[in-house]
Amino acid sequence: TSAPEKAEGEARSPDGRVYASQPLVSEIYTADPSAHVFNGRLYVYNSHDIDGPTPEDDLGAHFEMRDYRVLSMDRVGAPVTVHPVALDVSQVPWASRQMWAPDAAFKNGTYYLYFPAKDKQGVFRMGVATSSSPTGPFTPDPQPIPGSFSIDPAVFTDEDGASYMYFGGIWGGQLQRWTTGNYQANGSKTDLGRPDQPALMPKIARMDAGMKTFAEAPRDVQILDEAGKPILGGDTDRRFFEAAWMHRYNGKYYLSYSTGDTHYLVYATGDSPYGPFTYRGRILEPVDGWTTHHSIVEHDGKWWLFYADTQLSGETRLRNVKVTELFYNPDGTIRTLSPFK
Ligand code: FUB
């Protein structure tokens, strides 16, 4: 599906608010941006949205993406290249549909693309594919990463060279169906259904040196409130929903994520990649469209927030990636941004 050319006067949302940033590209629809700097250039690994036939539902069946196309640019504001298809679902032997939010990493002279997709049984798993180029084409492993499940992989490499995958998403992301360690096909469609109990937390697993398998069983990443108690399931303005991202700033670890049905991008900080993390606040107020999913990267001496909204289409299933500068306060907190001026 092609996105329409940007038209003059399209810079206002349907309710009249002026967008703070413009879509990075309009040739294709893009979402869920994971930005990385490789050899000084910015690469964005995103979902490639298409206009499929499935009606919208709470489980995201309308996100019917089939392939990945990488975006790249010399710097924010420079022309953006839309690269050819990097990986198509038809190349992945175990996958059936819904190539959702991906991420990438570089190690051992190889670029790794991590992606969630539903297997032939309709269960989300995480795949890995490799390439000698940051833009692909990528060659997928024939099986998903052993022990992987749910969605939204984010692979963070720490200063000591250790890499970790953060992942998970509730509702359509199926995390709530894995509480026993096995997939419960008839499990909850949303969450634990226990608003006064600790919420489902994102998962973390250290990656093996080969970057294709977990070096340990995935474990919970604890997100705590200011009193040191786990954020509760009913605290929907702050609890983890999907889209985990990790970055390091001034020696602290920043775990950021989407609150899903309340549409915030929020963050929590900690002293170790494993956490625990203490909730600190909002990064981005709700965008146009249901989903909100981001990444944070440093480039050219500034920090950038990549996110997406539905400016070009007005439809949640057809999103467009944007970027805006992110600012830290002197105490290390992040200044809350609005997607509108
Ligand atoms: O784009 C499909 C899914 O919607 C992603 O995996 C989630 O993070 C949400 O953006």
Side-chain angles (χ1 to χ4, degrees):
T1 311
S2 294
E5 285 302 313
K6 237 182 292 171
E8 288 298 325
E10 243 186 356
R12 280 175 191 272
S13 69
D15 60 9
R17 290 179 294 172
V18 177
Y19 293 109
S21 303
Q22 291 302 305
L24 274 184
V25 296
S26 57
E27 301 96 297
I28 59 170
Y29 290 111
T30 54
D32 308 327
S34 293
H36 291 275
V37 178
F38 295 131
N39 291 322
R41 190 171 167 88
L42 271 168
Y43 293 88
V44 189
Y45 298 84
N46 36 253
S47 298
H48 174 199
D49 283 357
I50 53 171
D51 196 6
T54 307
E56 228 170 89
D57 67 16
D58 280 348
L59 300 185
H62 48 294
F63 294 119
E64 299 176 90
M65 299 81 98
R66 297 191 53 83
D67 62 22
Y68 296 109
R69 297 188 64 177
V70 182
L71 309 180
S72 73
M73 66 206 91
D74 276 341
R75 76 195 82 80
V76 171
V80 179
T81 304
V82 181
H83 294 274
V85 171
L87 180 70
D88 186 277
V89 66
S90 63
Q91 297 168 253
V92 186
W94 59 268
S96 63
R97 62 188 191 279
Q98 293 180 291
M99 303 281 267
W100 283 13
D103 193 21
F106 176 72
K107 210 177 241 185
N108 316 320
T110 297
Y111 294 90
Y112 297 84
L113 179 72
Y114 300 96
F115 58 96
K118 280 190 177 155
D119 67 14
K120 312 279 185 200
Q121 286 73 45
V123 179
F124 269 115
R125 305 277 180 187
M126 233 71 82
V128 58
T130 54
S131 176
S132 56
S133 158
T135 58
F138 287 87
T139 304
D141 274 19
Q143 299 293 333
I145 295 175
S148 69
F149 54 92
S150 198
I151 59 167
D152 291 359
V155 174
F156 164 75
T157 298
D158 206 349
E159 284 175 358
D160 64 0
S163 298
Y164 305 86
M165 181 184 286
Y166 297 83
F167 65 93
I170 62 173
W171 294 30
Q174 303 178 340
L175 189 60
Q176 72 280 359
R177 295 186 168 183
W178 285 94
T179 49
T180 62
N182 293 309
Y183 182 73
Q184 298 158 287
N186 296 317
S188 165
K189 286 192 169 166
T190 54
D191 55 19
L192 294 175
R194 296 198 296 260
D196 54 348
Q197 296 295 311
L200 283 156
M201 301 286 169
K203 300 283 180 183
I204 182 173
R206 189 165 53 80
M207 301 301 292
D208 175 77
M211 295 294 275
K212 289 184 161 192
T213 54
F214 296 151
E216 59 188 5
R219 51 177 116 163
D220 282 353
V221 176
Q222 292 300 329
I223 305 171
L224 311 176
D225 65 15
E226 54 291 330
K229 299 265 170 42
I231 298 273
L232 301 181
D235 188 352
T236 54
D237 280 358
R238 301 194 296 175
R239 63 94 166 83
F240 171 75
F241 190 102
E242 62 188 4
W245 184 259
M246 170 57 58
H247 76 282
R248 210 174 143 149
Y249 176 77
N250 274 355
K252 280 260 178 208
Y253 295 86
Y254 286 66
L255 174 75
S256 44
Y257 56 94
S258 166
T259 64
D261 56 340
T262 49
H263 316 291
Y264 300 116
L265 288 179
V266 300
Y267 74 107
T269 60
D271 295 318
S272 149
Y274 288 104
F277 296 94
T278 303
Y279 180 88
R280 301 297 290 275
R282 286 185 195 160
I283 296 173
L284 186 69
E285 299 290 356
V287 295
D288 274 354
W290 201 97
T291 65
T292 188
H293 186 135
H294 71 301
S295 59
I296 294 169
V297 70
E298 187 180 21
H299 191 239
D300 258 358
K302 292 182 173 179
W303 286 88
W304 303 100
L305 175 74
F306 285 77
Y307 66 103
D309 67 12
T310 56
Q311 176 177 336
L312 290 176
S313 74
E315 289 190 49
T316 273
R317 73 176 75 201
L318 297 172
R319 298 159 290 180
N320 47 257
V321 167
K322 296 183 165 185
V323 60
T324 190
E325 192 173 349
L326 184 85
F327 300 96
Y328 296 87
N329 296 310
D331 65 356
T333 53
I334 292 176
R335 221 185 286 167
T336 307
L337 295 167
S338 168
F340 304 100
K341 285 185 179 158

